Amino acid sequence: NAGVTQTPKFRILKIGQSMTLQCTQDMNHNYMYWYRQDPGMGLKLIYYSVGAGITDKGEVPNGYNVSRSTTEDFPLRLELAAPSQTSVYFCASSWTGLAGGEQYFGPGTRLTVT
Amino acid sequence: QQQVKQSPQSLIVQKGGISIINCAYENTAFDYFPWYQQFPGKGPALLIAIRPDVSEKKEGRFTISFNKSAKQFSLHIMDSQPGDSATYFCAASELQGAQKLVFGQGTRLTINP
């Protein structure tokens, strides 16, 4: 199993450009999440999904969009990039139910907006 | 009410010493308290987790102590090794529903040889 994979690893965007961060998991997890990590701030939840076709906002959703057409894929879309979106983005997935809890993280995408 | 506060921000410990990181939470509905370990350039990985029906959980050199009445929990790393140098995050969530994790701010731990 590859676990959670993310592409690209690094990206530099100009202000106003758009891009999609890809996330795929091969563990058949229903739950998937997008976080951003800023220095000294921990990880903040952007969007999450509890299954294909179901998505919801997290703590910091502004400027982002997501879709979940399959169990495996959960792409994150930035429509009009702003310097405030410079961050490291992590995708994660987990099992459902009370036996779950552990989230498995991808290796991250480091995004710079200039 | 969703906050998880973590301290200290950074910690330097001698090899063989005990590393202690503390977290406090506000939401009494939280019932899952994991610690994640992150090395530079990598994603966080689960280190150890506890549920509030026990006051302590130990896995090798790593122990979580949990105080439900004080709404606090801590990570103890015994016999700290240079390979433990990493950033540690505490987190909390409700296992009912979407299991959204609320993370602490992180602690950068350095173990001096």
Side-chain angles (χ1 to χ4, degrees):
Chain A
N1 283 356
V4 179
T5 56
Q6 292 182 240
T7 56
K9 284 187 169 32
F10 304 94
R11 183 73 185 267
I12 298 174
L13 278 183
K14 294 190 185 306
I15 294 171
Q17 286 185 321
S18 300
M19 76 164 295
T20 299
L21 282 66
Q22 301 292 345
C23 174
T24 300
Q25 54 91 9
D26 62 359
M27 297 174 283
N28 203 33
H29 287 168
N30 274 342
Y31 291 179
M32 295 188 74
Y33 313 85
W34 273 106
Y35 295 91
R36 60 176 287 171
Q37 182 177 23
D38 301 305
M41 300 292 288
L43 288 86
K44 301 288 186 186
L45 182 65
I46 305 171
Y47 270 95
Y48 65 97
S49 169
V50 298
I54 306 169
T55 63
D56 207 346
K57 296 178 181 178
E59 185 181 354
V60 289
N62 291 346
Y64 307 95
N65 268 304
V66 293
S67 59
R68 184 97 183 269
S69 57
T70 67
T71 299
E72 295 78 21
D73 300 306
F74 190 40
L76 178 72
R77 179 85 178 157
L78 282 70
E79 288 294 347
L80 291 169
S84 61
Q85 294 177 303
T86 294
S87 189
V88 182
Y89 292 84
F90 289 101
C91 179
S93 69
S94 70
W95 293 109
T96 58
L98 297 179
E102 177 177 1
Q103 291 186 15
Y104 296 79
F105 283 78
T109 294
R110 184 175 294 273
L111 176 67
T112 302
V113 181
T114 62
Chain B
Q1 196 168 24
Q2 288 294 319
Q3 278 190 314
V4 175
K5 294 184 179 178
Q6 182 173 345
S7 62
Q9 274 192 303
S10 63
L11 181 62
I12 300 174
V13 174
Q14 291 299 118
K15 179 182 174 183
I18 302 173
S19 304
I20 302 174
I21 306 171
N22 300 300
C23 282
Y25 64 98
E26 298 170 355
N27 186 349
T28 55
F30 288 150
D31 55 3
Y32 176 71
F33 301 91
W35 285 89
Y36 280 81
Q37 181 187 54
Q38 185 181 32
F39 293 104
K42 305 290 186 185
L46 181 67
L47 184 64
I48 186 172
I50 197 168
R51 301 194 185 184
D53 51 343
V54 296
S55 60
E56 185 174 285
K57 183 174 181 181
K58 185 175 181 178
E59 289 183 2
R61 296 184 293 108
F62 302 91
T63 299
I64 298 179
S65 297
F66 184 78
N67 185 329
K68 188 173 182 177
S69 60
K71 293 188 284 186
Q72 295 175 347
F73 58 110
S74 60
L75 176 69
H76 295 234
I77 305 175
M78 311 300 287
D79 187 26
S80 299
Q81 299 296 312
D84 297 330
S85 297
T87 299
Y88 292 81
F89 293 95
C90 64
S93 73
E94 297 178 56
L95 285 176
Q96 200 84 332
Q99 302 175 0
K100 297 176 288 181
L101 285 172
V102 179
F103 282 87
Q105 297 91 331
T107 297
R108 179 171 289 188
L109 175 64
T110 302
I111 307 300
N112 283 336

